[in-house]
Amino acid sequence: MTTCILLGAPVQEGTGRLGCDMGPSAFRAAGLAGALRELGHVVVDRGNLAPTSQPEVRHGNAAIKSLPEIVAWTELLAATIYDASAEGMPITLGGDHSLAAGTLSGLSRRAADLERPLFVLWLDAHPDLHTLDSTESGNLHGVPMAYATGQPGFEGIFPPLAAPLDMARICMMGIRSVDPAERARLAAGDVTVHDMRAIDEHGVAVLLRGFLEKVAAADGLLHVSLDVDFLDPDIAPGVGTTVPGGATFREAHLVMEMLHDSDLVTSLDLVELNPFLDERGRTARLIVDLVASLMGRRVLDRPTRSH
Ligand SMILES: [Mn+2]
């Protein structure tokens, strides 16, 4: 039994289009809390967060949009997730992926307090590894991973990180859209990247198992960042950044089922759901079903047999 702390983060200024601010409501309407309670978990819904003030920040890259708003969200989420992670399992209901700047910052601080390493499973079509200097779209949902791993150029603009995330503790799955600056950063670092081709060739189980073994061996905390565009747009149309060739229904469920079996996940972000683009709540319901798999729903009981 887990205490799940739901935190709505209706941030949408990190994307180029409106609608992600309705994400938290859609997850609630799709029955997230009920699905978790049905599995025996305690659910505390803290409602939606809202930053109260915006810092005076600017940057030389004229393409950047809504910098003060995103910095304000980062500060608020870093503090809120840090606190919530002491009480249970924070589940952040986004909102666009810029919110990960805040959640990863807060979780890194928690992990440092506990003297345990923080690992991140990043389920996304994109690595979100742009810096403030390299982003061309200026949409700040493309930068949270660069910020959280301590890439240069965020100092004095974004809040200081208590502890930057170690790139060697990140596993990205579902990647299929990478800009040149991100490609260079991935090549220079030691992030484990399983793109869609790797998933096609090996299957999610083999790829994920290796990472989970690493987390378990290091007694790590494991954060899961689930971007709707990890999934194929045919099954998850409710997102502004669809990229063809994403994870299938069964691939996604298998990832969640393996995460549940591992008993390693300590926090979760659900991001980029855009209910305005969804079809009668279909994507929201799929994500709720995936969370249920992550939290213990299964088709059949599968007793672990000793060999
Ligand atoms: Mn993303």
Side-chain angles (χ1 to χ4, degrees):
M1 189 271 287
T2 302
T3 300
C4 303
I5 303 172
L6 307 187
L7 296 152
V11 53
Q12 63 179 344
E13 290 85 358
T15 65
R17 61 202 304 170
L18 302 179
C20 276
D21 65 331
M22 297 184 278
S25 302
F27 288 126
R28 292 186 178 103
L32 178 58
L36 293 168
R37 287 194 183 105
E38 216 166 87
L39 293 163
H41 302 298
V42 173
V43 180
V44 183
D45 189 339
R46 296 262 160 89
N48 287 355
L49 302 164
T52 50
S53 64
Q54 284 173 16
E56 295 257 342
V57 286
R58 53 182 59 96
H59 188 273
N61 181 349
I64 292 177
K65 297 165 197 155
S66 307
L67 184 60
E69 288 84 352
I70 302 304
V71 171
W73 271 107
T74 302
E75 271 172 19
L76 174 62
L77 281 163
T80 308
I81 299 297
Y82 172 76
D83 290 342
S85 64
E87 302 161 42
M89 174 178 174
I91 302 180
T92 310
L93 316 179
D96 71 64
H97 221 162
S98 67
L99 67 83
T103 58
L104 290 172
S105 167
L107 294 166
S108 292
R109 184 174 156 213
R110 172 62 58 202
D113 283 3
L114 297 172
E115 297 182 347
R116 289 173 67 188
L118 174 65
F119 289 79
V120 176
L121 179 64
W122 189 261
L123 303 171
D124 197 331
H126 313 89
D128 295 350
L129 252 175
H130 272 293
T131 63
L132 297 176
D133 296 292
S134 75
T135 176
E136 290 176 14
S137 73
N139 297 324
L140 292 179
H141 68 168
V143 309
M145 211 27 137
Y147 165 70
T149 54
Q151 306 298 308
F154 292 91
E155 309 86 1
I157 298 173
F158 273 64
L161 284 168
L165 185 60
D166 184 342
M167 286 181 110
R169 295 184 185 134
I170 300 166
C171 176
M172 297 184 170
M173 293 185 84
I175 301 292
R176 57 197 187 280
S177 173
V178 184
D179 292 335
E182 296 177 302
R183 192 178 298 271
R185 234 156 262 139
L186 285 173
D190 39 14
V191 175
T192 301
V193 183
H194 299 308
D195 60 8
M196 284 311 301
R197 175 174 171 166
I199 292 178
D200 290 343
E201 288 190 7
H202 305 286
V204 290
V206 170
L207 303 174
L208 183 58
R209 197 171 293 131
F211 179 64
L212 294 176
E213 281 167 4
K214 222 164 73 173
V215 180
D219 187 28
L221 305 179
L222 178 56
H223 174 68
V224 176
S225 202
L226 174 58
D227 189 315
V228 171
D229 70 25
F230 168 64
L231 302 160
D232 194 273
D234 281 351
I235 57 167
V239 63
T241 49
T242 51
V243 188
T248 66
F249 182 89
R250 269 311 308 163
E251 283 167 343
H253 271 288
L254 181 54
V255 167
M256 296 301 147
E257 289 157 3
M258 288 178 68
L259 287 170
H260 178 259
D261 291 350
S262 78
D263 205 18
L264 291 167
V265 178
T266 44
S267 53
L268 173 66
D269 288 347
L270 306 173
V271 304
E272 296 284 342
L273 175 67
N274 187 330
F276 188 70
L277 304 174
D278 203 4
E279 296 166 0
R280 300 175 73 92
R282 177 183 172 201
T283 309
R285 273 183 278 120
L286 173 56
I287 300 287
V288 167
D289 282 343
L290 289 171
V291 175
S293 279
L294 169 64
M295 298 306 290
R297 189 191 288 169
R298 52 184 65 230
V299 178
L300 292 174
D301 283 325
R302 290 172 174 268
T304 315
R305 293 186 179 85
S306 51
H307 300 281

